[in-house]
Amino acid sequence: MGNVLVIAEHKDGTLKKVSLPAFAFARDYVGKQGGEFHILVAGCNVGTVADECLCYGAARVHVADHESLKNYLCESYTPVVVQVAKDMNAEVVAATTTAIAKDLLPRVAARMKAGMASDVTAITDKGHFERPVWAGNAMVDVEITTPVKVASVRGTEFEPAPRQDAAGEKVDVSVDVDLGALKKRFLQFEEIKSDRPELTEAAVIVSGGRGTKGDEGFKLIDKLADLLGAAVGATRAVVDAGWQPNDLQVGQTGKVVAPDLYFAIGLSGAIQHLAGMKGSKVIVAINKDEEAPIFTVADYGLVADLFKAVPELVEEIQKVKSA
Ligand SMILES: Cc1cc2nc3c(=O)[nH]c(=O)nc-3n(C[C@H](O)[C@H](O)[C@H](O)COP(=O)(O)OP(=O)(O)OC[C@H]3O[C@@H](n4cnc5c(N)ncnc54)[C@H](O)[C@@H]3O)c2cc1C
């Protein structure tokens, strides 16, 4: 029997889609190992998020609703997660791999003296976790032998849990966090506002590499993205050059994405970039070098100069859209 607790992420009173693969992971785990799937919603004024969480097959949704949890801090959230995990006798504590999960889960694991597997891509019949190593070049089978196990879940590898009729029960969690006693203080959250979809949630992504040569080429990337309602991505070379902000980086040390359609434009397809996007359903590559490694994973490849090919592509899409 292996109860699983999943920490749900939310924003502006709405459950984030990024949590749905972790719900699917939990359902898969309890399907194989027995036990119950529970969700924890922590924050301030999170009633509607908790109601939404009842629609994904959890036996219980634990609601830690308190002013002291209004702004995420690893130090204030950890005791809440640990308390709920202990109360419900969790065998696994999980969340989708996000910036928050990368920050929170190792601390939870340390507090619970739990072994941890990060970026889990599958659960074996024995209840072990599969995860990639060496930029996805090898997969390892991880058996965690501690009574409690912590897992971050690679969102692109589990189909989002489907929404169903509300079921299960909500349980209030009493929160006793003294923010003044913590060694860290929340000052402010500087959000980057964009009309484009979030990289990890977008159905279409247009990514540019060093071949764009900076601003001039990225204007073309932006134009194509806006036409398709897509998110914009970038390689690390682009981010390191300061051409794009680092939250757009796709890859091993950036975001892992798996959209329906991924445009890879003027990027070579280095192994560290492929590690973040090769799960995309359809990959279209435009590169002037026919030997570029990106063509080994592309479904459609165009050997061309992007400064010529992208404007032509934009023009053709505009024609189709206005027809
Ligand atoms: C530990 C580690 C982690 C890393 N993590 C990441 C990561 O998360 N994400 C990531 O992206 N990288 C990562 N990298 C860096 C990675 O190894 C590559 O250096 C990087 O991805 C290269 O970026 P690029 O493809 O934009 O540039 P390049 O490799 O320089 O490729 C540019 C491409 O553009 C093409 N090109 C040039 N001009 C044109 C044109 N006019 N039209 C069409 N094509 C053109 C060229 O043929 C070339 O293929 C990491 C590296 C290390 C060591």
Side-chain angles (χ1 to χ4, degrees), residues 59-115:
R60 265 188 205 169
V61 175
H62 302 264
V63 192
D65 200 335
H66 197 266
E67 181 66 27
S68 62
L69 301 176
K70 185 171 175 195
N71 299 303
Y72 167 78
L73 274 182
C74 185
E75 286 78 354
S76 56
Y77 273 54
T78 299
V80 176
V81 176
V82 171
Q83 177 197 327
V84 173
K86 282 184 178 161
D87 289 350
M88 61 157 286
N89 201 16
E91 180 174 297
V92 180
V93 180
T96 304
T97 311
T98 60
I100 285 184
K102 284 182 193 174
D103 186 46
L104 178 62
L105 291 181
R107 198 177 190 92
V108 169
R111 283 285 169 87
M112 301 197 78
K113 299 196 181 343

Side-chain angles (χ1 to χ4, degrees), residues 135 208-213 234-240 243 249-255 262 265-276 286-294 302-309:
R210 191 152 32 197
T212 57
K213 299 181 176 57
T235 62
R236 178 156 153 183
V238 163
V239 169
D240 285 351
W243 298 345
Q249 185 181 318
V250 172
Q252 184 190 341
T253 44
K255 289 182 176 147
Y262 189 91
I265 301 178
L267 62 86
S268 56
I271 191 166
Q272 296 90 352
H273 187 77
L274 300 186
I286 303 176
N287 195 301
K288 66 178 185 184
D289 174 10
E290 64 179 16
E291 302 284 328
I294 191 65
L302 181 63
V303 180
D305 185 331
L306 73 91
F307 290 93
K308 187 165 179 293

Side-chain angles (χ1 to χ4, degrees), residues 9 39 44 51 74-75 101 114 138 140 194 198 208 211 215 242 247 252 263 279 287 292 310 315:
E9 279 196 32
I39 296 173
C44 183
D51 289 340
C74 185
E75 286 78 354
V140 291
S194 168
E198 263 193 51
D215 258 6
D247 60 310
Q252 184 190 341
F263 284 89
N287 195 301
V310 177
E315 203 182 311

